[in-house]
Amino acid sequence: MIKSVTAGAVLALIMASGALAPLIMASGALAQTAAHAPAHPPAHATQAAEAPPPPPPAPASAPPSEWRTVPPENLMVIETTKGRILVELAPEVAPLHVERMRLLARNGFFDNLTWHRVIDLFMAQTGDPLGTGDGQSAYPDLKAEFTFRRGPDLPFAPVAAPAGAVLGFVRSLPIQTQPDSYMATTADHMVHGWGVYCPGVAGMARDDNPDSANSQFFLMRQPYPSLDKRYTVWGTVVSGLDVVRNLKTGAGGSGLVTDPDRMTTVRIAADLPEADRPSVQVLDTASPRFRAMVDMTRASRGADFSVCDITLPVQVSGGSVVAAAPAGTAPAGASGPR
């Protein structure tokens, strides 16, 4: 059975939230609806994308002790026709989805797949072996991981505390969570948290069934907060956001791309020979330098300050370009409509 929704259901979703339609996997019904959609994203998406000027730059360098090295097992290396994208995986936030992304990358499933759906002020979507929005892997669909449980042992760096909530980072991932004080009131001594859809955040596409994510994923080009807690977050771009924003965009409201850019190879860094493996260091969110950067950004932005205004400095070294798979090679685990 093809993953699809009826035209009436899609229309209802679009009316309820302009954010849903671009991430639902395409079908005949969706394409028909999208053809009548406005050529521009909903107004709230444009407002979110246009608002913030760039925050004050962080100091060019920091002492070695203030840098955190991304473990190779948690680093996805995406080679594209426009350049390299490096994504830090977040297994504590979405373990099932991270496991799936590692599995598909190790099977070569993503090699040569297109960025079939790209919307300028929104996101870039890929992971479909058919390149139409109807395809997926042969593996079972995944149970949604829209939220996660955060305990005292998970490293967390708060940057803002609106009433009843805290915003900050779990490593490189921006999140919103309940305050630590709530841990004393829960049976597991943990609190709810969820990824915040800032630029560079990686999410999973699905249809109207919350438990229908499979292989299609998207990388955010701009902030889009109405996606929070509605699509599983599994990582964040630590290098190559400029590449994501340079991918060819689609025309009209559907975002479907003609002659799209491609992912040439996708690998987990731990699987690459050490000499060819990129090394990524991110400013440690537990460091004084990070706290100083947050304070400067908050002072600059004032009442408009958002966790999405924080861009973590990154150092990348080493790592040759991963060779592309032979043209026409079928990705392992590929599946068409079902």
Side-chain angles (χ1 to χ4, degrees):
M1 179 179 68
I2 299 175
K3 285 193 174 182
S4 63
V5 290
T6 65
V10 173
L11 182 58
L13 288 174
I14 293 173
M15 293 175 66
S17 168
L20 283 175
L23 300 183
I24 295 171
M25 284 177 277
S27 67
L30 179 56
Q32 182 179 6
T33 303
H36 297 88
H40 302 286
H44 63 274
T46 305
Q47 291 167 0
E50 290 177 350
S61 61
S65 61
E66 294 193 339
W67 295 97
R68 174 184 64 84
T69 299
V70 177
E73 182 69 11
N74 288 341
L75 183 64
M76 177 172 282
V77 182
I78 304 175
E79 305 285 3
T80 81
T81 49
K82 289 291 177 63
R84 171 178 282 181
I85 302 167
L86 301 176
V87 178
E88 182 173 12
L89 307 177
E92 300 92 345
V93 171
L96 298 178
H97 288 73
V98 167
E99 180 184 8
R100 173 63 55 84
M101 298 302 288
R102 287 179 180 144
L103 174 65
L104 294 178
R106 284 169 169 154
N107 285 351
F109 175 87
F110 293 123
D111 292 3
N112 295 311
L113 298 192
T114 63
W115 295 93
H116 67 274
R117 211 165 187 201
V118 183
I119 298 176
D120 186 23
L121 298 178
F122 191 11
M123 56 88 217
Q125 185 171 335
T126 185
D128 173 13
L130 300 181
T132 62
D134 289 329
Q136 60 184 33
S137 81
Y139 296 104
D141 291 345
L142 295 165
K143 183 174 177 58
E145 295 176 301
F146 299 156
T147 64
F148 67 98
R149 300 292 286 170
R150 181 179 69 87
D153 295 335
L154 182 63
F156 174 62
V159 300
V166 184
L167 291 158
F169 287 85
V170 170
R171 301 187 177 89
S172 63
L173 181 68
I175 72 162
Q176 181 168 335
T177 182
Q178 295 171 311
D180 286 7
S181 58
Y182 288 18
M183 292 180 185
T185 68
T186 63
D188 61 358
H189 302 294
M190 295 183 177
V191 293
H192 277 303
W194 54 89
V196 176
Y197 274 98
C198 296
V201 167
M204 293 297 288
R206 61 173 177 85
D207 62 25
D208 58 337
N209 178 357
D211 301 327
S212 59
N214 189 290
S215 64
Q216 292 192 44
F217 68 90
F218 56 92
L219 304 178
M220 301 304 295
R221 290 163 66 105
Q222 297 292 353
Y224 214 103
S226 60
L227 301 185
D228 296 356
K229 294 197 291 183
R230 300 168 82 173
Y231 294 85
T232 296
V233 169
W234 54 270
T236 188
V237 173
V238 289
S239 177
L241 182 57
D242 57 329
V243 177
V244 177
R245 288 173 168 162
N246 197 35
L247 295 169
K248 184 178 179 182
T249 57
S254 71
L256 295 176
V257 184
T258 302
D259 190 23
D261 291 308
R262 292 179 174 269
M263 298 186 291
T264 53
T265 60
V266 179
R267 298 289 183 269
I268 302 302
D271 299 334
L272 298 173
E274 191 167 353
D276 299 330
R277 181 187 303 167
S279 176
V280 176
Q281 291 186 310
V282 182
L283 183 67
D284 193 337
T285 56
S287 68
R289 187 67 57 91
F290 170 78
R291 185 52 50 193
M293 184 179 70
V294 170
D295 291 344
M296 286 196 320
T297 306
R298 181 185 288 110
S300 172
R301 297 288 295 140
D304 293 329
F305 175 73
S306 162
V307 68
C308 293
D309 294 329
I310 303 294
T311 301
L312 296 177
V314 174
Q315 297 181 147
V316 180
S317 60
S320 57
V321 174
V322 181
T329 301
S335 174
R338 57 174 190 162

